Amino acid sequence: MTTSRQHSAPMGGDEDFASLLDTYLGADTSFAGSIISGLVLRIDGDVAVVDVGLKSEGRVPLREFALPGETAELHAGDRIDLFVERYEDQDGTIRLSREKARREEAWVVLEKSHAANQRVTGAILGRVKGGFTVDLGGAVAFLPGSQVDTRPMRDVGPLMGSPQPFQILKMDRGRGNIVVSRRAVLEEARAEQRGELIRQLKEGAVLDGVVKNLTDYGAFVDLGGVDGLLHVTDIAWRRVSHPSEVLTVGQPLQVQVIRFNPETQRISLGLKQLMADPWDGAALKYPVGARFRGRVANLTDYGAFVELEPGVEGLVHVSEMSWTKTNVHPGKIVATSEEVDVMVLDVDEAKRRISLGMKQAQGNPWELFLETNPPGTEVEGEIRNITEFGLFVALPGGALDGLVHLSDLSWDQAGEEAVANFHKGDVVKAKVLDVDIAKQRVSLGIKQLQSDPAAEVLDRVRKGDIVTTVVTQVQANGIEVKVEDVLTGFIRRAELARDREEQRPDRFAVGQRVDARIVAVDRAARRLALTIKGKEIEEDRQAVAEYGSSDSGASLGDILGAAIRRRNQAVSEE
């Protein structure tokens, strides 16, 4: 083992030291800055003592023989290459560096690789401004962020510390700068793989791939040198809002080539095409009239899509969602992800369409109402609305409204007058008059809760009867009268008298009693059509029959005069 030598010569400044050094080593110190081979003599604490064949030993820190955090695997007797930096002091201790030796060795190898345009192997150490540092076997290089991959990478964590191939773009030994690219290696390899894959590519082929990137519209799948687009609509038969619901970056999967354009080299992939089509046999699985339970998958302005099974959805048009809620947005009736009962209305397997109805699965509310409330049933409800033609009253259960027409409000008052007695929010009783399921209407009556005061009179009077009336209203086209204070009648102007000059409504006054003959009875409207003219003609006919004719010697004036006197006498006796 070579040991360090002691000198007792006096020190006289830098010149004396240089002279002493030359004396000790001789004039040749050209080994400084070069790489020499050394033998490890011993491990002394955290340094290795090395004999490099010079006049003194060198000491090298152990940390230079291992990566950060690792223990150096170095033993006495090992031979290593070291870089000679300089003599450190007057004792002749040599400053050696294993790290710089590795760097010098690496530079030599890298320069040869760069000159031959060959790839080199390195590992990404850490992140720096604008990119990353890469260890190339002792030499540290710079990897720009744009040269990491062919596409921007959000996370380079999986690449850290892992051996990767790189292409040297630039070397400057004077400044110690090396710039490398991983992207150039990938593009070169990808170009080779792409060419080979494209030559063998055809539509319908099933390939293995790895999910490389996810976007809103689909996933890019690496097929081994070439990327294909797996559109979101081709991921699964069911509705997929975003690829992340099904796929993850790095996930291996099998895909089928569904379209390939050799000119643009664009590849469209499909995943669902490798699965059974749930629409096969849909007409048998979902027959018209059958009921199913499904989940609301999507809402639109015109209806809701209900998922019957993964990949099979049917449309419930807004008109088929509710019996009573019309002209409303579907979102007011159902919510996304809500489970609903539906009935199949139509199936078009070729067009992959199923029409569904929600209201049909709930039962027709008018049919249900009729079963429990046949005509004649008395109901009670709140007045929901008042219109120009009647009242809308909430029916039991609250789902339906019934209409009380103006004509069914009161026996005595006109509808326009009677409706003033009612207000929105009032609770009223009514009788069910009719339930029209086809027109979805329920007719109610309030006046029908009481007996018709005119019913008795209507039962007694007949067409042709002479009745005494009271004038209630004088109009331009006739007069309105009351019969026994309960039944309304009307005498047209032409029926007011036999003589034309007497057919004037203004001859009559309200409250005047008038005898008239019944021409027609309208029981539904509770009205009578009357005539005074007809009564007078009938009386004249009877007078002629009773008092004779002109052939018997009596004049028409005598006959009529006798009839008039008889009538007047009857009136005076009353």
Side-chain angles (χ1 to χ4, degrees), residues 423-458:
H423 303 88
K424 187 176 181 180
D426 291 350
V427 176
V428 297
K429 292 183 178 180
K431 182 175 288 188
V432 178
L433 303 181
D434 181 54
V435 179
D436 191 330
I437 297 175
K439 295 183 178 180
Q440 300 182 349
R441 293 177 185 172
V442 177
S443 299
L444 304 175
I446 292 179
K447 72 180 185 181
Q448 285 80 1
L449 294 172
Q450 301 173 348
S451 60
D452 184 358
E456 183 182 349
V457 178
L458 284 170

Side-chain angles (χ1 to χ4, degrees), residues 3 26 66 95 172 213 231 240 246 254 303 315 330 377 390 399 401 564:
T3 59
R95 177 177 291 184
D172 187 339
N213 192 23
H231 197 270
V240 178
V246 181
Q254 274 194 335
L315 172 64
T377 304
D401 289 348
I564 292 171

Side-chain angles (χ1 to χ4, degrees), residues 411-424:
W411 292 114
D412 302 322
Q413 291 180 292
E416 292 76 7
E417 298 176 3
V419 75
N421 300 322
F422 300 91
H423 303 88
K424 187 176 181 180

